[in-house]
Amino acid sequence: MTDTATYTVKGATGDWEIVVGLEVHAQVTANAKLFSGAATGFGAEPNSQVSLVDAAMPGMLPVLNGECVRQAVRTGLALNAQINKWSRFDRKNYFYADLPQGYQISQLYHPIVGEGAIAIETEAGDKSVVGIERIHLEQDAGKSVHDLHPTMSYVDLNRCGCALMEIVSKPDIRSPAEAGAYVAALRQLLRYVGSCDGNMDEGSMRADVNVSVRKPGAPFGTRTETKNVNSVRFIMQTVEVEARRQVDLIEGGGTVVQETRLFDPATATTRSMRSKEDAHDYRYFPDPDLLPVEFDDAYVADCLASLPELPVAKRARYTDVLGISAYNAAVLTADVETARYFDAVIAGIGTGSATAAANWVTSELFGALKKIGAAIEASPVSPAHAAELLALIGSGKISNSIGKQVLEAMIETGEGPAAIVAARGLEQVSDTGAIDAAIAAIIAGNADKVEQYKAGKEALFGFFVGQTMKAMGGKANPGVVNERLKALLGAA
Ligand code: ADP
Ligand code: MG
């Protein structure tokens, strides 16, 4: 679906096209698990967040967590997807040490969310739309830990039973760059919606990467599925190396078998894990302990009303309504925290100052925060204080360069700008009396330079500006200084 040059893999027999579909597992942001009241926080002591339901003690019954349902519906709405007002949970039966139930509760036949779509843009600026096949809710498994003991494996059940949304894309992705852009766009959207924190390094988001290759225009080839890839870079690498492997395999006379593979970041290669089971190997059947999930239009409307302004709409508003440059709009909407901060600044200062505010946030504030290593949500400068500072600069009360000084003091002390300006006497001086007096002294002390200037060496004007600003402690209004210098040097 790319509208620009197609990405291909070069082979001995010509060009090959890559076809990719991703199954993204996103851990739902909720205080409790999908079917139990146990806590879900990351990094807790192993096996400290396990209820009797999660440990699958005999006779325990699951109780559906309504918040997880709400988050899945909100996510579906953000993806313009069909919301299924009737869905059902099925048991997917298999044995694994970190799955005490002996089955995973999932939604194979009747997922809560149906078809949708998301717009993506690669770093090179290529735009396309990727279809969403479905989103279903399911339980996560626990974690087996193999590297803590030489001969034994440990099991941590904290993650067992946490709610996952499995977001299945259509096979619409055509290059490593598009795969990366898709995951980045999805992650951004989930973070805006607040349904998943998107922390890939904590495992909150991971992807199964389905890859096949074909000659352009030919039917889809056989796909492999590389499991649990946990960073955008690794997902892109998986697409690249797996497509290369398949092309080399086919051109060498082999055939691609549908199988599950693993990506090894150390060698940037994939290797076979197991051949693909048929769906009925899992003996799926409706979970007899759970009723179907049913809700009405009012519930969906309520979920829709709870959505914030989403990235695409926000970006469009920033450029079209606020007049912010496309580049700054992209930067300011990239992360939900930054967008939230910027919206609060605009609420404080008014839309008329949006361009100035956008420039200030992306340059001055970002720079200052980078220096102290703080994320924007932990900024010592509140949006209200930022708006106040911008108003002081905008009205000419303080100069731009004093503004930088005030920002530094705000970062250090957490104080408001007005208080800092007052306490340190930093108000800009536009009073021509004081400025004229300073200029007169400089003219008197630099007779030689005045003469050269008057003889045509105009570059010296900058010297006089600098001297005047210095004499005024940087607080003089630069416009007034320029104007008075021209007048007084002319008359000298
Ligand atoms: P399974 O449970 O067997 O993995 P799903 O239907 O859940 O099957 O997911 C299939 C995934 O594989 C989807 O993301 C889909 O887009 C992708 N896919 C399907 N056919 C191909 C293909 N020929 N090449 C690449 N990806 C594919
Ligand atoms: Mg799969």
Side-chain angles (χ1 to χ4, degrees), residues 18-24 92 108 131 133-134 136 166-174 208-213 219-225 227 246 258 276-277 279 282 284:
I18 301 183
V19 174
V20 177
L22 295 178
E23 297 161 77
V24 170
K92 179 181 184 180
L108 178 67
E133 183 70 48
R134 56 190 270 153
H136 60 257
E166 179 167 331
I167 305 166
V168 183
S169 88
K170 302 209 172 199
D172 288 345
I173 296 162
R174 291 289 175 274
D208 298 345
V209 184
N210 296 273
V211 178
S212 65
V213 296
F220 284 165
T222 303
R223 71 183 156 110
T224 62
E225 178 177 358
K227 283 282 189 193
Q246 291 181 12
Q258 189 173 343
K276 184 79 192 168
E277 311 87 331
Y282 290 116
Y284 276 99

Short mmCIF file of all heavy atoms in Angstrom, two decimals, residues 18-24 92 108 131 133-134 136 166-174 208-213 219-225 227 246 258 276-277 279 282 284, ligand 1:
data_model
loop_
_atom_site.label_atom_id
_atom_site.label_comp_id
_atom_site.label_asym_id
_atom_site.label_seq_id
_atom_site.Cartn_x
_atom_site.Cartn_y
_atom_site.Cartn_z
N ILE A 18 8.73 -8.07 -0.07
CA ILE A 18 8.51 -8.60 1.28
C ILE A 18 7.06 -8.38 1.68
O ILE A 18 6.49 -7.31 1.42
CB ILE A 18 9.40 -7.86 2.31
CG1 ILE A 18 10.89 -8.02 1.95
CG2 ILE A 18 9.15 -8.37 3.71
CD1 ILE A 18 11.80 -7.36 2.98
N VAL A 19 6.46 -9.37 2.33
CA VAL A 19 5.11 -9.23 2.88
C VAL A 19 5.18 -9.52 4.38
O VAL A 19 5.70 -10.55 4.78
CB VAL A 19 4.12 -10.20 2.20
CG1 VAL A 19 2.75 -10.14 2.87
CG2 VAL A 19 4.01 -9.89 0.71
N VAL A 20 4.69 -8.57 5.17
CA VAL A 20 4.79 -8.71 6.62
C VAL A 20 3.46 -8.44 7.29
O VAL A 20 2.73 -7.51 6.92
CB VAL A 20 5.84 -7.70 7.19
CG1 VAL A 20 5.91 -7.78 8.72
CG2 VAL A 20 7.21 -7.95 6.60
N GLY A 21 3.11 -9.26 8.27
CA GLY A 21 1.98 -8.98 9.15
C GLY A 21 2.46 -9.14 10.59
O GLY A 21 3.22 -10.06 10.88
N LEU A 22 2.06 -8.23 11.46
CA LEU A 22 2.55 -8.28 12.84
C LEU A 22 1.43 -8.59 13.82
O LEU A 22 0.31 -8.07 13.69
CB LEU A 22 3.19 -6.94 13.23
CG LEU A 22 4.46 -6.53 12.48
CD1 LEU A 22 4.92 -5.16 12.96
CD2 LEU A 22 5.56 -7.55 12.71
N GLU A 23 1.73 -9.44 14.78
CA GLU A 23 0.82 -9.67 15.90
C GLU A 23 1.48 -9.04 17.12
O GLU A 23 2.48 -9.55 17.61
CB GLU A 23 0.62 -11.17 16.13
CG GLU A 23 -0.04 -11.87 14.94
CD GLU A 23 0.20 -13.37 14.97
OE1 GLU A 23 -0.46 -14.05 15.76
OE2 GLU A 23 1.07 -13.85 14.23
N VAL A 24 0.95 -7.90 17.53
CA VAL A 24 1.56 -7.18 18.65
C VAL A 24 0.81 -7.53 19.94
O VAL A 24 -0.42 -7.43 20.00
CB VAL A 24 1.52 -5.65 18.41
CG1 VAL A 24 1.92 -4.89 19.67
CG2 VAL A 24 2.44 -5.28 17.25
N LYS A 92 -7.42 -22.03 25.15
CA LYS A 92 -6.40 -22.52 24.23
C LYS A 92 -5.53 -23.46 25.06
O LYS A 92 -4.78 -23.02 25.93
CB LYS A 92 -5.59 -21.33 23.71
CG LYS A 92 -4.47 -21.65 22.75
CD LYS A 92 -3.75 -20.35 22.36
CE LYS A 92 -2.68 -20.61 21.33
NZ LYS A 92 -1.98 -19.36 20.95
N LEU A 108 -10.51 -16.69 20.26
CA LEU A 108 -10.19 -17.08 18.89
C LEU A 108 -11.32 -16.74 17.92
O LEU A 108 -11.11 -16.12 16.90
CB LEU A 108 -9.87 -18.58 18.82
CG LEU A 108 -9.56 -19.09 17.40
CD1 LEU A 108 -8.26 -18.49 16.89
CD2 LEU A 108 -9.52 -20.61 17.35
N GLY A 131 -3.83 -2.15 7.56
CA GLY A 131 -5.10 -2.65 8.08
C GLY A 131 -4.90 -3.43 9.37
O GLY A 131 -3.88 -4.08 9.57
N GLU A 133 -6.53 -6.47 11.52
CA GLU A 133 -7.42 -7.61 11.31
C GLU A 133 -8.38 -7.75 12.50
O GLU A 133 -9.58 -7.92 12.34
CB GLU A 133 -6.54 -8.86 11.20
CG GLU A 133 -7.26 -10.16 10.92
CD GLU A 133 -7.81 -10.20 9.51
OE1 GLU A 133 -7.05 -9.88 8.59
OE2 GLU A 133 -8.99 -10.55 9.37
N ARG A 134 -7.82 -7.64 13.70
CA ARG A 134 -8.62 -7.87 14.91
C ARG A 134 -7.80 -7.52 16.14
O ARG A 134 -6.57 -7.43 16.08
CB ARG A 134 -8.99 -9.35 15.01
CG ARG A 134 -7.72 -10.22 14.97
CD ARG A 134 -8.04 -11.69 14.82
NE ARG A 134 -8.19 -12.31 16.12
CZ ARG A 134 -8.94 -13.39 16.34
NH1 ARG A 134 -9.62 -13.93 15.37
NH2 ARG A 134 -9.02 -13.92 17.54
N HIS A 136 -7.87 -9.10 20.10
CA HIS A 136 -8.56 -9.89 21.11
C HIS A 136 -7.87 -9.78 22.46
O HIS A 136 -6.70 -9.41 22.55
CB HIS A 136 -8.73 -11.35 20.66
CG HIS A 136 -7.45 -12.07 20.40
ND1 HIS A 136 -6.98 -12.31 19.13
CD2 HIS A 136 -6.55 -12.61 21.25
CE1 HIS A 136 -5.85 -12.97 19.21
NE2 HIS A 136 -5.56 -13.16 20.47
N GLU A 166 -4.04 -8.66 21.93
CA GLU A 166 -3.27 -9.07 20.77
C GLU A 166 -3.82 -8.32 19.57
O GLU A 166 -4.99 -8.49 19.19
CB GLU A 166 -3.33 -10.58 20.54
CG GLU A 166 -2.52 -10.96 19.29
CD GLU A 166 -2.25 -12.45 19.13
OE1 GLU A 166 -2.17 -13.15 20.15
OE2 GLU A 166 -2.11 -12.88 17.98
N ILE A 167 -2.99 -7.47 19.03
CA ILE A 167 -3.40 -6.60 17.92
C ILE A 167 -2.81 -7.21 16.64
O ILE A 167 -1.59 -7.20 16.45
CB ILE A 167 -2.90 -5.16 18.15
CG1 ILE A 167 -3.41 -4.65 19.51
CG2 ILE A 167 -3.35 -4.25 17.00
CD1 ILE A 167 -2.74 -3.39 20.00
N VAL A 168 -3.66 -7.75 15.79
CA VAL A 168 -3.20 -8.48 14.60
C VAL A 168 -3.34 -7.59 13.38
O VAL A 168 -4.44 -7.13 13.05
CB VAL A 168 -4.01 -9.78 14.40
CG1 VAL A 168 -3.48 -10.56 13.21
CG2 VAL A 168 -4.00 -10.63 15.67
N SER A 169 -2.23 -7.34 12.70
CA SER A 169 -2.31 -6.51 11.48
C SER A 169 -2.62 -7.40 10.28
O SER A 169 -2.41 -8.60 10.30
CB SER A 169 -0.99 -5.78 11.24
OG SER A 169 -0.10 -6.59 10.47
N LYS A 170 -3.11 -6.77 9.23
CA LYS A 170 -3.22 -7.47 7.95
C LYS A 170 -1.83 -7.54 7.34
O LYS A 170 -0.94 -6.77 7.74
CB LYS A 170 -4.17 -6.69 7.03
CG LYS A 170 -5.53 -6.52 7.66
CD LYS A 170 -6.62 -6.43 6.64
CE LYS A 170 -7.93 -6.46 7.37
NZ LYS A 170 -9.07 -6.80 6.58
N PRO A 171 -1.62 -8.41 6.36
CA PRO A 171 -0.28 -8.49 5.75
C PRO A 171 -0.04 -7.33 4.79
O PRO A 171 0.20 -7.53 3.61
CB PRO A 171 -0.30 -9.85 5.03
CG PRO A 171 -1.74 -10.16 4.81
CD PRO A 171 -2.53 -9.46 5.86
N ASP A 172 -0.09 -6.11 5.32
CA ASP A 172 -0.01 -4.90 4.49
C ASP A 172 1.36 -4.23 4.53
O ASP A 172 1.57 -3.21 3.89
CB ASP A 172 -1.05 -3.87 4.99
CG ASP A 172 -2.47 -4.26 4.65
OD1 ASP A 172 -2.66 -5.16 3.80
OD2 ASP A 172 -3.40 -3.67 5.24
N ILE A 173 2.26 -4.77 5.34
CA ILE A 173 3.56 -4.12 5.54
C ILE A 173 4.55 -4.67 4.50
O ILE A 173 4.57 -5.87 4.25
CB ILE A 173 4.02 -4.37 6.99
CG1 ILE A 173 3.04 -3.69 7.95
CG2 ILE A 173 5.45 -3.88 7.21
CD1 ILE A 173 3.12 -4.20 9.38
N ARG A 174 5.35 -3.76 3.91
CA ARG A 174 6.15 -4.16 2.75
C ARG A 174 7.67 -3.94 2.90
O ARG A 174 8.41 -4.12 1.94
CB ARG A 174 5.68 -3.40 1.50
CG ARG A 174 4.30 -3.80 1.01
CD ARG A 174 4.30 -5.19 0.38
NE ARG A 174 2.96 -5.62 0.00
CZ ARG A 174 2.11 -6.22 0.84
NH1 ARG A 174 2.48 -6.49 2.08
NH2 ARG A 174 0.92 -6.59 0.45
N ASP A 208 5.04 -10.68 17.34
CA ASP A 208 5.33 -11.85 16.52
C ASP A 208 5.38 -11.34 15.09
O ASP A 208 4.43 -10.69 14.62
CB ASP A 208 4.24 -12.91 16.67
CG ASP A 208 4.15 -13.43 18.11
OD1 ASP A 208 5.09 -13.19 18.89
OD2 ASP A 208 3.13 -14.07 18.44
N VAL A 209 6.48 -11.61 14.42
CA VAL A 209 6.74 -11.02 13.11
C VAL A 209 6.55 -12.07 12.02
O VAL A 209 7.34 -13.01 11.91
CB VAL A 209 8.17 -10.45 13.06
CG1 VAL A 209 8.41 -9.73 11.73
CG2 VAL A 209 8.40 -9.49 14.23
N ASN A 210 5.47 -11.94 11.23
CA ASN A 210 5.19 -12.88 10.14
C ASN A 210 5.79 -12.32 8.86
O ASN A 210 5.48 -11.19 8.47
CB ASN A 210 3.68 -13.04 9.95
CG ASN A 210 3.03 -13.67 11.18
OD1 ASN A 210 2.97 -14.88 11.29
ND2 ASN A 210 2.59 -12.84 12.11
N VAL A 211 6.64 -13.12 8.21
CA VAL A 211 7.33 -12.64 7.01
C VAL A 211 7.20 -13.69 5.89
O VAL A 211 7.35 -14.88 6.14
CB VAL A 211 8.84 -12.43 7.30
CG1 VAL A 211 9.57 -11.97 6.03
CG2 VAL A 211 9.05 -11.43 8.42
N SER A 212 6.92 -13.21 4.70
CA SER A 212 7.03 -14.07 3.51
C SER A 212 7.59 -13.22 2.38
O SER A 212 7.66 -11.99 2.50
CB SER A 212 5.67 -14.65 3.13
OG SER A 212 4.80 -13.61 2.72
N VAL A 213 8.01 -13.87 1.31
CA VAL A 213 8.51 -13.14 0.14
C VAL A 213 7.78 -13.64 -1.10
O VAL A 213 7.24 -14.74 -1.12
CB VAL A 213 10.05 -13.31 -0.05
CG1 VAL A 213 10.81 -12.71 1.11
CG2 VAL A 213 10.41 -14.78 -0.23
N PRO A 219 1.10 -14.33 -6.00
CA PRO A 219 0.36 -14.55 -4.76
C PRO A 219 1.31 -14.60 -3.56
O PRO A 219 2.51 -14.81 -3.73
CB PRO A 219 -0.32 -15.91 -4.96
CG PRO A 219 -0.03 -16.33 -6.34
CD PRO A 219 1.02 -15.46 -6.92
N PHE A 220 0.75 -14.43 -2.35
CA PHE A 220 1.58 -14.46 -1.14
C PHE A 220 2.34 -15.78 -1.04
O PHE A 220 1.81 -16.84 -1.37
CB PHE A 220 0.70 -14.34 0.11
CG PHE A 220 0.20 -12.95 0.36
CD1 PHE A 220 -0.84 -12.73 1.26
CD2 PHE A 220 0.77 -11.85 -0.27
CE1 PHE A 220 -1.31 -11.44 1.51
CE2 PHE A 220 0.31 -10.56 -0.03
CZ PHE A 220 -0.74 -10.36 0.86
N GLY A 221 3.56 -15.70 -0.53
CA GLY A 221 4.34 -16.91 -0.28
C GLY A 221 4.04 -17.45 1.11
O GLY A 221 3.23 -16.89 1.86
N THR A 222 4.69 -18.58 1.45
CA THR A 222 4.52 -19.17 2.78
C THR A 222 5.24 -18.30 3.80
O THR A 222 6.36 -17.86 3.58
CB THR A 222 5.13 -20.59 2.79
OG1 THR A 222 4.50 -21.35 1.77
CG2 THR A 222 4.93 -21.25 4.15
N ARG A 223 4.59 -18.08 4.95
CA ARG A 223 5.19 -17.19 5.96
C ARG A 223 5.83 -17.98 7.09
O ARG A 223 5.42 -19.10 7.39
CB ARG A 223 4.11 -16.28 6.55
CG ARG A 223 3.13 -17.03 7.44
CD ARG A 223 2.03 -16.13 7.95
NE ARG A 223 0.86 -16.90 8.29
CZ ARG A 223 0.44 -17.09 9.55
NH1 ARG A 223 1.10 -16.59 10.57
NH2 ARG A 223 -0.64 -17.80 9.77
N THR A 224 6.81 -17.36 7.70
CA THR A 224 7.32 -17.85 8.98
C THR A 224 6.90 -16.83 10.03
O THR A 224 6.60 -15.68 9.71
CB THR A 224 8.85 -17.96 8.99
OG1 THR A 224 9.40 -16.66 8.78
CG2 THR A 224 9.34 -18.93 7.93
N GLU A 225 6.87 -17.25 11.28
CA GLU A 225 6.46 -16.36 12.36
C GLU A 225 7.57 -16.32 13.40
O GLU A 225 7.87 -17.33 14.04
CB GLU A 225 5.16 -16.88 12.99
CG GLU A 225 4.67 -16.05 14.15
CD GLU A 225 3.34 -16.54 14.71
OE1 GLU A 225 2.78 -17.52 14.17
OE2 GLU A 225 2.88 -15.95 15.69
N LYS A 227 8.86 -15.17 16.87
CA LYS A 227 8.11 -14.90 18.11
C LYS A 227 8.75 -13.84 19.01
O LYS A 227 9.99 -13.79 19.13
CB LYS A 227 8.04 -16.19 18.93
CG LYS A 227 7.01 -17.19 18.41
CD LYS A 227 5.64 -16.75 18.85
CE LYS A 227 4.58 -17.78 18.57
NZ LYS A 227 3.25 -17.19 18.73
N GLN A 246 14.85 -16.29 3.32
CA GLN A 246 13.85 -16.97 2.49
C GLN A 246 14.19 -16.88 1.00
O GLN A 246 14.07 -17.86 0.26
CB GLN A 246 12.45 -16.40 2.75
CG GLN A 246 11.92 -16.74 4.15
CD GLN A 246 10.52 -16.18 4.40
OE1 GLN A 246 9.84 -15.74 3.48
NE2 GLN A 246 10.09 -16.21 5.66
N GLN A 258 6.18 -23.29 6.82
CA GLN A 258 5.50 -22.46 7.82
C GLN A 258 5.94 -22.94 9.19
O GLN A 258 5.66 -24.08 9.57
CB GLN A 258 3.99 -22.56 7.66
CG GLN A 258 3.29 -21.54 8.54
CD GLN A 258 1.80 -21.47 8.30
OE1 GLN A 258 1.29 -21.94 7.29
NE2 GLN A 258 1.09 -20.87 9.25
N LYS A 276 4.95 -25.11 12.75
CA LYS A 276 3.69 -24.46 13.13
C LYS A 276 2.59 -25.48 13.43
O LYS A 276 2.25 -26.31 12.60
CB LYS A 276 3.27 -23.55 11.98
CG LYS A 276 2.06 -22.73 12.25
CD LYS A 276 2.38 -21.55 13.11
CE LYS A 276 1.09 -20.91 13.60
NZ LYS A 276 1.34 -19.94 14.65
N GLU A 277 2.03 -25.38 14.63
CA GLU A 277 0.92 -26.29 14.96
C GLU A 277 -0.33 -25.84 14.23
O GLU A 277 -0.51 -24.67 13.94
CB GLU A 277 0.61 -26.26 16.46
CG GLU A 277 1.78 -26.41 17.36
CD GLU A 277 2.45 -25.08 17.65
OE1 GLU A 277 2.41 -24.17 16.81
OE2 GLU A 277 3.04 -24.98 18.72
N ALA A 279 -4.26 -24.91 14.24
CA ALA A 279 -5.05 -24.26 15.29
C ALA A 279 -5.76 -25.28 16.17
O ALA A 279 -5.80 -25.14 17.38
CB ALA A 279 -6.05 -23.32 14.66
N TYR A 282 -4.66 -26.99 19.59
CA TYR A 282 -4.90 -26.36 20.88
C TYR A 282 -6.26 -26.74 21.48
O TYR A 282 -6.58 -26.36 22.58
CB TYR A 282 -4.83 -24.84 20.75
CG TYR A 282 -3.44 -24.30 20.49
CD1 TYR A 282 -3.13 -23.64 19.30
CD2 TYR A 282 -2.44 -24.43 21.45
CE1 TYR A 282 -1.87 -23.12 19.07
CE2 TYR A 282 -1.17 -23.92 21.22
CZ TYR A 282 -0.88 -23.26 20.03
OH TYR A 282 0.35 -22.75 19.82
N TYR A 284 -9.22 -25.62 21.02
CA TYR A 284 -9.97 -24.44 21.49
C TYR A 284 -11.41 -24.83 21.81
O TYR A 284 -12.04 -25.57 21.05
CB TYR A 284 -10.02 -23.39 20.38
CG TYR A 284 -8.83 -22.48 20.28
CD1 TYR A 284 -7.82 -22.73 19.36
CD2 TYR A 284 -8.73 -21.34 21.08
CE1 TYR A 284 -6.72 -21.87 19.24
CE2 TYR A 284 -7.64 -20.48 20.97
CZ TYR A 284 -6.65 -20.74 20.05
OH TYR A 284 -5.59 -19.89 19.92
P1 ADP B 1 -1.65 -17.36 13.71
O1 ADP B 1 -2.43 -17.45 14.97
O2 ADP B 1 -1.51 -18.63 12.96
O3 ADP B 1 -0.36 -16.69 13.89
P2 ADP B 1 -3.12 -15.09 12.88
O4 ADP B 1 -4.26 -15.00 11.92
O5 ADP B 1 -3.35 -14.77 14.31
O6 ADP B 1 -2.51 -16.51 12.69
O7 ADP B 1 -1.99 -14.13 12.40
C1 ADP B 1 -1.53 -14.19 11.16
C2 ADP B 1 -0.58 -13.02 10.94
O8 ADP B 1 0.22 -13.31 9.84
C3 ADP B 1 -1.31 -11.73 10.62
O9 ADP B 1 -0.64 -10.64 11.17
C4 ADP B 1 -1.24 -11.69 9.10
O10 ADP B 1 -1.23 -10.39 8.60
C5 ADP B 1 0.07 -12.34 8.82
N1 ADP B 1 0.14 -13.04 7.53
C6 ADP B 1 -0.78 -13.82 6.99
N2 ADP B 1 -0.36 -14.30 5.80
C7 ADP B 1 0.89 -13.81 5.60
C8 ADP B 1 1.87 -13.95 4.57
N3 ADP B 1 1.68 -14.72 3.50
N4 ADP B 1 3.03 -13.30 4.72
C9 ADP B 1 3.26 -12.53 5.79
N5 ADP B 1 2.39 -12.36 6.79
C10 ADP B 1 1.21 -13.00 6.70
#
